[in-house]
Amino acid sequence: MTAKVLPTPRWDRLRRVENFGHSIRTPGFVFQPATEEQVLEVLQRAHKQGARVALRGSGRSYGDAAMASGQWVLDLRRMNRIVAWDPKQGRLTVEPGVTVAQMWPYTLPDGWWPAVVPGTMRPTAGGCAAMNVHGKNNWHAGTWGEHITQVRVLTPTGQVHDLTPQDDAFWAVMGGLGVLGVITRMTLQLKPVASGNLEVRAWATPNLERTLADLDAAKDEYEYVVAWVDGTARGRGLGRGQLHAARHLPAHAEPFPHRTLDPAYQVLPDTFFGVVPKGLLWRFMRPFMHNPGVWLVNTAKYWAARTLGHEKTYRQSLVAFNFLLDYVPQWERAYGPGGLMQYQIFVPHERALQVFADALRWVQKWGVPTYLAVVKRHRPDRFWLSHAVDGFSLAMDFPVRPRRLPALLEVLGYIDRMVLEAGGRFYFAKDATLRPETAWAFLGHETVQRFLDLKRAWDPHDVLQTDLYRRIFGPWPGRKP
Ligand SMILES: Cc1cc2nc3c(=O)[nH]c(=O)nc-3n(C[C@H](O)[C@H](O)[C@H](O)COP(=O)(O)OP(=O)(O)OC[C@H]3O[C@@H](n4cnc5c(N)ncnc54)[C@H](O)[C@@H]3O)c2cc1C
């Protein structure tokens, strides 16, 4: 009998593994399987050797979701084949390492766009599913998982589960933090589009109350809506900012569909203002990355929004609107060697104004103002580990500086409590600080137990673990058995 020969997996490379914000760095043995068989081989080896395995896509999570201190890391980016595409129905079946950047150029010429995309096109399908990501259209389209018609999960015991939304476990796997099993393929239902452009409206808002009220009003008229907030403004200007709302163009409003649906039309420019190579831009940003510098930049941005950018309507490509953060490659490096941390809170509609106002005020008072703040409108969903509410989210970026870190952690702890008390939620893709008792409280103990029961059934030896999983679901003082 001849042994089955598999393409060589890339075994055992000890590497430095980092989060997106470059604020956490740990060594890990990185494996890069190219097939389901190789994935299973690694999982079974790990079980035999008593090792733990963390799954990883593009490593675009801000916190410790894809981190694994000193353990094995299964980097799924080599499983990056597009398995099937049905241009009539808009159904795309992909392996988990296929990135959003691979998807849209494949489907757009046929008039289809992913129904939900995060703010960057670098993430993989597996990473988007495991975090159940949302876009600027969360109110209308829900999350990534709401557009998956089928998903295949390989558990560490070698079982394969083909799940559809009719299966209870489907709602646990989407947003399941990559610890129930390895997603090895999924089918997405895309959205038909008649143009590669969106119609965008931009306007400035003078304070937080208007920012939230306008976001809420715009959600009924537009499919996408997002607010940039000046995190350094105080007093009456607290929470002032700029809104961008957008909608797809109907066929009759697009005279050149073939041109705008062509991926070549969607390409982001290589230079900024036609002069500065984009790859260098983060170096220009770096000298401003301190509190007075960020105040200056935010103030200038707000006044530009109030004057030049106020009440403007224009057409913008799908890529330019959705992946604004990809305009400046490696922008996160501008934060310096300590990197950055992002923290996103979700608060029900009726409490959002007070909670966001206090949060913005408190971080200013503690001397750790947010350097970038973004507000979005959300709707609730039925995923087990959901971050969604009928309300708003506020995402805040902070530089990680050893001297300021204790103050930052302290104030985020206070904000956690305030969010919890307001019936709010948190998002694990953007989290590095949440305490387990806070996470269990917002998720609900019963839901967490149900999730852990499924975890025990599918992964009885607890092979799949990440730093996030251990932080939230590991034993902690006060946890009921
Ligand atoms: C600039 C920027 C903008 C962003 N904007 C948004 C946004 O608008 N909305 C939003 O929701 N998120 C946003 N994010 C967060 C990002 O979309 C998520 O963190 C996403 O999960 C990253 O995907 P990834 O492939 O990099 O996964 P990783 O970060 O590598 O991993 C994420 C999780 O997926 C698990 N995982 C990976 N592959 C698999 C698999 N095959 N099977 C099972 N589990 C797996 C990992 O264990 C981990 O728990 C943004 C991130 C950045 C850097």
Side-chain angles (χ1 to χ4, degrees), residues 248-268:
H248 289 277
L249 289 175
H252 65 80
E254 172 52 277
F256 311 109
H258 292 298
R259 189 167 77 90
T260 62
L261 293 172
D262 185 338
Y265 175 83
Q266 300 285 331
V267 168
L268 296 172

Side-chain angles (χ1 to χ4, degrees), residues 55 57-61 65 119 123-124 127 130-131 133-134 177-178 183 376 427:
L55 307 182
S58 294
R60 247 56 189 185
S61 294
T124 61
M131 285 293 139
V133 303
H134 58 265
L177 313 181
I183 295 169
K376 292 183 202 151
Y427 184 25

Side-chain angles (χ1 to χ4, degrees), residues 180 446-458:
L180 295 174
E446 206 181 301
T447 306
V448 174
Q449 285 302 349
R450 206 150 60 104
F451 182 78
L452 293 179
D453 288 347
L454 184 63
K455 163 88 171 146
R456 265 190 292 276
W458 284 11

Side-chain angles (χ1 to χ4, degrees), residues 459-472:
D459 181 17
H461 308 292
D462 225 5
V463 172
L464 293 176
Q465 297 194 14
T466 58
D467 288 349
L468 169 72
Y469 169 75
R470 280 192 291 270
R471 175 161 60 85
I472 301 298

